[in-house]
């Protein structure tokens, strides 16, 4: 049953608003730094290794193991403080709150309880923290929660690249296959118990930050 639930939550058609976010791909393409599948694969690898594995994964693990909503909120504020780009902060919160909203409608008990804190603190609702919350409501193991989080990032990036016209359907599948192997390698090495969240994706952060200066945009980030 958990395998079927993973397929459901990891599906790009899952109604959590992920289609609105390119996580920097749109800006990189506009700046001439993303034009083909090889460059897409390098960016996916950067996102997985230098952002997801070292930051989002750490935050997710901490929130998954947190004792209550107040403890989760502390981790959520850490996600806010650790994300330097205002656009990435906003995007992470919007994506997280959309996902949480789905699980509130599905009557997830932890999701419903945590939703009550969001109205009083605009810093709350970051995506990796919410992924931990909904994974707990779905009764996932920690390994399963990490898997669906990492894979959702991959499919979101590839989907954005397709919508931007950077890759076609077949190239998208090749990119996903390459990313699948990299994600498996990352998941095979758990982070240290005392690991602190940190990321280093300067080109992506700059590309996202330049978004408000562009006249035409398809994505929020």
């Amino acid at each position: 049953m958990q395998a079927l639930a993973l397929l459901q939550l990891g599906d790009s058609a899952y109604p959590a608003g992920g289609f609105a976010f390119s996580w920097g791909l749109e800006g990189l393409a506009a700046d001439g730094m993303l034009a083909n599948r090889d460059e897409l694969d390098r960016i996916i690898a950067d996102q997985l290794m230098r952002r997801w594995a070292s930051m989002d994964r750490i935050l997710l693990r901490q929130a998954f193991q947190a004792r209550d909503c107040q403890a989760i909120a502390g981790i959520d504020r850490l996600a806010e403080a650790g994300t330097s780009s205002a656009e990435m902060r906003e995007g992470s919160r919007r994506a997280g709150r959309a996902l949480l909203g789905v699980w509130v409608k599905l009557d997830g008990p932890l999701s419903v309880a945590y939703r009550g804190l969001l109205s009083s603190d605009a810093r709350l609702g970051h995506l990796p923290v919410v992924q931990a919350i909904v994974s707990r409501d779905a009764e996932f193991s920690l390994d399963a929660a990490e898997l669906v989080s990492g894979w959702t990032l991959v499919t979101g990036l590839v989907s954005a690249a397709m919508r931007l016209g950077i890759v076609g359907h077949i190239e998208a599948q090749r990119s996903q296959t390459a990313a699948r192997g990299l994600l498996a390698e990352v998941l095979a090495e758990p982070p240290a118990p005392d690991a602190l969240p940190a990321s280093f994706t300067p080109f992506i952060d700059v590309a996202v930050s330049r978004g408000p200066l562009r006249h035409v945009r398809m994505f929020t980030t």
Side-chain angles (χ1 to χ4, degrees):
M1 291 298 293
Q2 180 169 269
L4 293 174
L6 282 170
L7 290 173
Q8 180 182 0
L9 268 70
D11 194 321
S12 60
Y14 192 78
F19 63 88
F21 308 98
S22 80
W23 304 115
L25 291 195
E26 183 176 26
L28 290 170
D31 289 340
M33 300 178 68
L34 173 58
N36 55 55
R37 191 202 131 204
D38 287 341
E39 291 170 351
L40 172 63
D41 289 352
R42 286 196 294 271
I43 291 166
I44 292 174
D46 270 353
Q47 286 276 34
L48 279 175
M49 299 295 296
R50 300 178 184 271
R51 170 78 189 193
W52 185 83
S54 61
M55 184 165 183
D56 290 0
R57 185 186 189 187
I58 306 300
L59 294 166
L60 182 149
R61 290 173 71 90
Q62 291 179 356
F64 192 91
Q65 296 164 341
R67 65 185 181 279
D68 56 31
C69 286
Q70 290 299 329
I72 294 173
I75 298 160
D76 216 345
R77 295 184 188 104
L78 182 60
E80 174 84 1
T83 306
S84 58
S85 165
E87 287 73 20
M88 289 291 273
R89 288 196 301 272
E90 180 184 358
S92 178
R93 287 193 305 267
R94 286 185 58 182
R97 287 177 176 231
L99 176 59
L100 189 69
V102 173
W103 275 83
V104 168
K105 292 176 182 177
L106 294 174
D107 299 318
L110 186 58
S111 297
V112 171
Y114 197 69
R115 179 68 176 269
L117 297 178
L118 266 57
S119 60
S120 62
D121 194 334
R123 296 170 295 177
L124 302 181
H126 283 276
L127 181 58
V129 175
V130 172
Q131 288 173 332
I133 292 170
V134 302
S135 292
R136 289 170 65 168
D137 276 339
E139 299 183 349
F140 283 175
S141 66
L142 176 56
D143 287 346
E146 291 182 319
L147 175 60
V148 74
S149 173
W151 187 243
T152 298
L153 172 63
V154 170
T155 58
L157 291 169
V158 172
S159 176
M162 288 181 60
R163 291 177 63 193
L164 289 165
I166 295 163
V167 296
H169 290 280
I170 300 303
E171 288 182 308
Q173 293 304 310
R174 292 193 174 108
S175 286
Q176 286 189 333
T177 298
R180 188 177 67 199
L182 178 58
L183 178 60
E185 292 177 10
V186 171
L187 291 172
E189 297 185 14
D194 59 349
L196 297 176
S199 69
F200 186 72
T201 54
F203 288 108
I204 293 169
D205 292 344
V206 169
V208 171
S209 297
R210 284 164 55 85
L213 303 176
R214 307 185 196 283
H215 298 296
V216 179
R217 295 172 62 186
M218 290 177 59
F219 298 92
T220 300
T221 61

